[in-house]
Amino acid sequence: MSSPSLKSLDPAELMPLPDVPDSTGPRSEEEQRIYDLVMVGINSGPGKAYATVDEFAAEFRAQLHNRSAR
């Protein structure tokens, strides 16, 4: 006589997997613009140390303002 399986079920195994897009990356012009700006920052060379968060925020806002004025 065989004994029944007493393995419990993981509820996560019963859930359907979410749909995942076939491609990754920017999906619109706006996302492409943001992606391009991020990549410029990443590839711009060594970083800069800031004394305070306020100092960083002021420079960041100034650069955003300069880019949007173009």
Side-chain angles (χ1 to χ4, degrees):
M1 178 178 195
S2 64
S3 60
S5 174
L6 300 177
K7 179 183 174 196
S8 62
L9 293 176
D10 181 358
E13 292 176 0
L14 302 174
M15 300 285 295
L17 294 175
D19 291 334
V20 177
D22 291 337
S23 64
T24 59
R27 297 169 291 188
S28 66
E29 273 186 49
E30 183 178 6
E31 285 185 7
Q32 183 65 51
R33 186 175 63 84
I34 293 168
Y35 174 82
D36 292 341
L37 289 173
V38 168
M39 292 310 295
V40 166
I42 289 173
N43 296 318
S44 66
K48 178 179 175 183
Y50 295 92
T52 65
V53 172
D54 290 335
E55 182 183 331
F56 166 77
E59 185 173 329
F60 183 72
R61 286 187 189 103
Q63 288 183 14
L64 285 178
H65 178 71
N66 291 340
R67 288 195 184 273
S68 65
R70 290 181 190 177

